[in-house]
Amino acid sequence: MKISGGLQEDGIVVGNNYDKYASKNPIARWLMEGFSSSLTTLVHQAAPQTIHEIGCGEGYWTLDWKQKGIHARGSDFSEKVIALAQDNARARGLPPSMFALRSIYEIEPGQDSADLIVCCEVLEHLEDPRAGLAALQRVTTNHLIVSVPREPLWCALNMARGKYWSSLGNTPGHIQNWSSPAFIRLVGEYFQVLEIRKPLPWTMLLCKKA
């Protein structure tokens, strides 16, 4: 699977810094298994027929759901990362048209709506996360799954593994930081929070349109 590897577009880090899903590091694998397990459980609870992953990056999850028989599609603001996602779709014999170039701020009801909207690891990159949540509110017809890094744990773990010391452990491209309670309060202004999951080191919420 093609990964952006820290690629930048207009000075913004896009996609994943490394292929965290295929990491051979046992700790990284354990962390990603926790994330994957929580996300899979919440998707199962939502029981969608259609999924739109907003901020899909290179398309890992959208492709996984598509191959499981769910009508899934993805969008991202980055032309470069959408090109990678389309290449990844072609490599699996899937239509590249399942990935579209679109900013979270530009999504609209109807064309971008789905039974389940998934927006994981996106809001921490936004200059205006409230506008992002308002956009998600517009296109959510039933359920939303949203996740962000859990702070200050995320930064502390980065520093413990010797990463990003100059920014006190903050991952490049992360311009917003939330503790679990702060993030839950913020999302609760726009959605009904049905379930809270905390796979180390994230906060992940299953929500319903209020």
Side-chain angles (χ1 to χ4, degrees):
M1 180 165 178
K2 293 183 178 180
I3 297 294
S4 67
L7 194 68
Q8 293 192 16
E9 187 168 327
D10 298 328
I12 301 172
V13 177
V14 299
N16 290 290
N17 287 309
Y18 71 102
D19 191 355
K20 57 191 178 184
Y21 299 104
S23 174
K24 291 183 172 29
N25 181 288
I27 296 177
R29 288 177 67 87
W30 177 72
L31 293 175
M32 289 314 304
E33 284 170 4
F35 180 94
S36 298
S37 176
S38 290
L39 180 57
T40 299
T41 297
L42 295 184
V43 169
H44 180 74
Q45 286 180 220
Q49 292 186 354
T50 59
I51 299 178
H52 181 185
E53 185 182 11
I54 296 168
C56 64
E58 303 92 343
Y60 177 90
W61 283 108
T62 304
L63 292 167
D64 181 68
W65 295 319
K66 186 78 169 178
Q67 291 187 308
K68 289 177 178 174
I70 300 173
H71 182 71
R73 58 198 167 104
S75 61
D76 203 288
F77 85 98
S78 167
E79 184 175 356
K80 293 179 179 178
V81 84
I82 282 295
L84 291 175
Q86 291 174 338
D87 284 346
N88 289 330
R90 291 187 189 95
R92 299 190 187 195
L94 295 171
S97 59
M98 63 187 286
F99 293 107
L101 179 65
R102 192 167 299 124
S103 164
I104 188 174
Y105 302 124
E106 298 170 346
I107 55 177
E108 294 293 341
Q111 66 173 337
D112 294 311
S113 297
D115 294 339
L116 173 63
I117 301 294
V118 177
C119 187
C120 290
E121 309 306 284
V122 173
L123 295 176
E124 68 270 22
H125 297 275
L126 300 184
E127 291 185 2
D128 191 348
R130 287 185 173 275
L133 283 165
L136 293 173
Q137 191 181 51
R138 290 196 300 269
V139 300
T140 298
T141 58
N142 198 3
H143 289 100
L144 165 77
I145 295 174
V146 61
S147 74
V148 295
R150 192 187 338 159
E151 299 292 1
L153 181 59
W154 180 275
C155 287
L157 289 175
N158 273 338
M159 293 187 73
R161 65 191 185 97
K163 295 290 187 180
Y164 316 130
W165 275 78
S166 62
S167 58
L168 299 179
N170 194 53
T171 301
H174 290 194
I175 58 177
Q176 307 291 341
N177 304 93
W178 291 283
S179 66
S180 285
F183 185 62
I184 294 164
R185 284 196 302 270
L186 175 63
V187 175
E189 295 178 24
Y190 297 84
F191 295 91
Q192 177 187 359
V193 178
L194 300 178
E195 185 162 342
I196 301 164
R197 294 257 170 169
K198 295 182 182 179
L200 193 71
W202 291 275
T203 304
M204 185 181 294
L205 308 177
L206 174 64
C207 308
K208 194 171 181 65
K209 187 158 187 167

